[in-house]
Amino acid sequence: MWRYLVVQGLAVLGLIFLTAPALPQAEPNPSDVEAFLDEAMPAASAPGLAWAIIEAGEIRSGVRGELVAGSGRRVTEDTPFPLGSISKSFTALAIMQQVEAGQVELDRPISAYLDAFEGQPGAAITIRQLLSHTSGYSTLQGNQSHADQPGQVGSLADGARQLAMITPAGEAGVYWQYSNANYLILGALIETVSGLGFGDYIETRILDPLGMDDSFVGGSDRGVGEAVAIGHTPWFGGRRPVAASDDPMARAMAPAGGIVGSAVDVTRYLAMMMNGEDDLISADHKAMMLQPASAASPFYGFGWFLDAGADTAYHTGLVPGVATVAVLSRSEQRGGVALVNANSGMGFGVTGDILAGLSAYALGNTPASGGSHLGAQSFYLMLAGTPLLFLAGIVMVWIRRAGLRAKSGPVGLFSLWFPLVSTLAMAWAFLDLTPRLFGTPLMTLSLYQPDMVVLLIASSVIGVSFAVFRLGVAYTGRS
């Protein structure tokens, strides 16, 4: 399972609101943030959190909770969290370094650099289009495992080769659609033109120069032994930790979302992006990264979402059990990061309110109220009750079997067969349509919302079973 591939397929849909305009106020102080977290943390039922805010070069930070719920192991200022798709901005920065080195041109096709794309459907896709998610690759294509393709995915080059054989869902440069596929290809490009492995490149060319000592690339030797925050997913009103594993795919997924870092380290990275100086890249190229990449990409630059109204750039991240956000002002020297080791539940245990609130503080604003989650809560409760209703229906079918067997004529036939049609339609909506709306396969969705996926499957299976049982009872007991 490509655990780290789907870093943003859900985050784009669920967390884009994080930099929505908030009410301005006087400069918030640490006590404001802590008071906000006193209320928000219990409501989110998040085991742990780290945050940091930077203004004019000064960093303020704080931590709460545990690495693993119930373990007693506390989150510290140095605790690294999986950053999810914030990693894309690092990948974009690495590409810009290679642009400045004369190794890459933004408007040349990827086939000019990666032989795997020669003669393939995506041969004409440019580097600019990959950076800005206007390549034509869809969200779903970026979130699918292509292990069924020839060859075995075990490196960035393997992954790029398999993606090269996929026909993009749309025409390059015409429309915007977020896709992890773009950044996996860019990771392979970095390795090809630099001669370094992606992890080595990011660690030696970006993390080390910025003093990001508590950060590393997933799957690299540098992260061995680090006390990384463990993610937690919703589980029927509670939380359960994500099983720790040495995922061999982590290295191959790193450009899309596999970088790991502490909150304070990420603010050092934000400070570099805002300082207006020539350092890791030129000030002009930093500004280019934080501007719309093209007419087809008005709200995304190179590795950054853009909010023109608030004059901010930001990126969210989502990996199994962890949600993150990094935000910076394009006109002021301020920004911040928030890292939570819990995914949001469906209306219950919502972590997005914490990320939105801390983003507002980072920009010098008052957080808007979390708002009502009644709609999501109602849907979750309805979904939880659906299997029970169908089970009760099976019991009632048996109790009232005599009346069921007496049905006849057109109306009777309709009443007998309509439940099968409707439950099959429901099963299609739950098991096929819903994952497509999220832009990710059902099994991948289960990495983030396991309880909801269990309910979707249970409702579908028991619902169709109810309809089949009802027909069986109706037609097997007639005289």
Side-chain angles (χ1 to χ4, degrees):
M1 181 62 65
W2 288 23
R3 298 175 63 100
Y4 295 90
L5 180 60
V6 191
V7 180
Q8 195 68 24
L10 303 176
V12 171
L13 298 174
L15 297 174
I16 275 180
F17 66 88
L18 290 175
T19 52
L23 299 175
Q25 68 163 24
E27 177 62 30
N29 57 57
S31 62
D32 295 329
V33 177
E34 295 300 334
F36 165 75
L37 291 175
D38 285 340
E39 180 177 351
M41 282 288 285
S45 66
L49 172 144
W51 62 273
I53 292 173
I54 184 166
E55 183 189 10
E58 179 181 350
I59 297 176
R60 296 184 285 115
S61 62
V63 296
R64 293 203 173 201
E66 299 174 303
L67 296 176
V68 183
S71 69
R73 300 166 59 200
R74 309 301 297 179
V75 175
T76 71
E77 297 275 342
D78 301 330
T79 297
F81 286 67
L83 298 181
S85 279
I86 296 173
S87 306
K88 289 182 174 67
S89 65
F90 289 81
T91 300
L93 178 65
I95 291 292
M96 297 308 292
Q97 288 179 326
Q98 291 304 302
V99 168
E100 292 189 348
Q103 298 298 309
V104 172
E105 295 180 20
L106 291 175
D107 294 311
R108 288 195 73 189
I110 187 62
S111 57
Y113 303 99
L114 300 182
D115 293 342
F117 278 85
E118 290 186 7
Q120 298 297 334
I125 294 171
T126 67
I127 310 308
R128 186 186 302 272
Q129 290 163 350
L130 290 168
L131 285 166
S132 59
H133 296 293
T134 57
S135 66
Y137 285 109
S138 70
T139 301
L140 184 60
Q141 286 177 317
N143 290 344
Q144 288 176 321
S145 168
H146 302 293
D148 57 338
Q149 300 296 325
Q152 181 180 1
V153 178
S155 68
L156 289 177
D158 292 333
R161 186 159 40 249
Q162 293 187 12
L163 286 166
M165 293 184 286
I166 304 298
T167 300
E171 184 179 350
V174 175
Y175 73 102
W176 185 94
Q177 187 167 172
Y178 192 98
S179 182
N180 289 310
N182 297 315
Y183 277 75
L184 297 178
I185 295 168
L186 289 170
L189 173 60
I190 290 167
E191 291 192 338
T192 298
V193 299
S194 72
L196 294 174
F198 179 81
D200 290 338
Y201 186 99
I202 296 297
E203 290 172 358
T204 60
R205 302 290 180 87
I206 297 178
L207 304 185
D208 290 344
L210 292 176
M212 298 177 66
D213 298 331
D214 298 309
S215 303
F216 55 92
V217 176
S220 71
D221 295 336
R222 180 167 169 171
V224 175
E226 289 279 358
V228 179
I230 300 299
H232 295 73
T233 52
W235 189 246
F236 299 105
R239 298 280 185 190
R240 68 175 186 179
V242 174
S245 65
D246 296 324
D247 191 340
M249 303 304 296
R251 199 182 302 265
M253 300 304 107
I259 297 177
V260 184
S262 70
V264 172
D265 272 1
V266 178
T267 55
R268 295 190 176 103
Y269 170 65
L270 298 182
M272 178 275 300
M273 289 299 300
M274 296 186 295
N275 65 16
E277 300 175 2
D278 298 338
D279 37 50
L280 295 190
I281 60 173
S282 69
D284 288 343
H285 277 140
K286 291 178 191 178
M288 179 186 292
M289 291 179 66
L290 301 177
Q291 296 297 324
S294 66
S297 179
F299 306 113
Y300 201 88
F302 293 167
W304 291 95
F305 284 100
L306 308 174
D307 184 338
D311 200 28
T312 59
Y314 66 99
H315 218 298
T316 56
L318 193 66
V319 299
V322 177
T324 66
V325 63
V327 59
L328 60 87
S329 171
R330 296 188 295 173
S331 57
E332 302 177 33
Q333 294 289 309
R334 63 167 72 242
V337 59
L339 314 171
V340 182
N341 62 344
N343 291 153
S344 279
M346 284 292 295
F348 300 94
V350 176
T351 57
D353 292 344
I354 291 180
L355 302 184
L358 289 173
S359 295
Y361 278 122
L363 298 172
N365 299 326
T366 300
S369 62
S372 172
H373 302 291
L374 183 60
Q377 291 171 346
S378 299
F379 176 77
Y380 182 84
L381 293 174
M382 178 195 72
L383 196 59
T386 298
L388 300 177
L389 289 175
F390 281 125
L391 288 173
I394 290 173
V395 174
M396 293 304 298
V397 163
W398 184 250
I399 292 173
R400 300 182 178 180
R401 58 189 180 277
L404 196 63
R405 290 165 176 165
K407 290 181 179 290
S408 62
V411 175
L413 286 174
F414 177 82
S415 67
L416 285 175
W417 286 92
F418 179 74
L420 179 62
V421 174
S422 61
T423 54
L424 285 172
M426 179 191 71
W428 169 78
F430 283 175
L431 303 182
D432 183 68
L433 179 60
T434 297
R436 289 181 181 276
L437 291 175
F438 278 99
T440 185
L442 187 68
M443 290 305 296
T444 303
L445 185 59
S446 69
L447 297 175
Y448 303 88
Q449 298 286 332
D451 55 346
M452 186 181 77
V453 170
V454 167
L455 291 174
L456 289 172
I457 294 173
S459 297
S460 301
V461 172
I462 299 175
V464 173
S465 298
F466 155 77
V468 171
F469 177 77
R470 187 172 180 270
L471 284 171
V473 168
Y475 283 103
T476 58
R478 296 190 176 193
S479 57

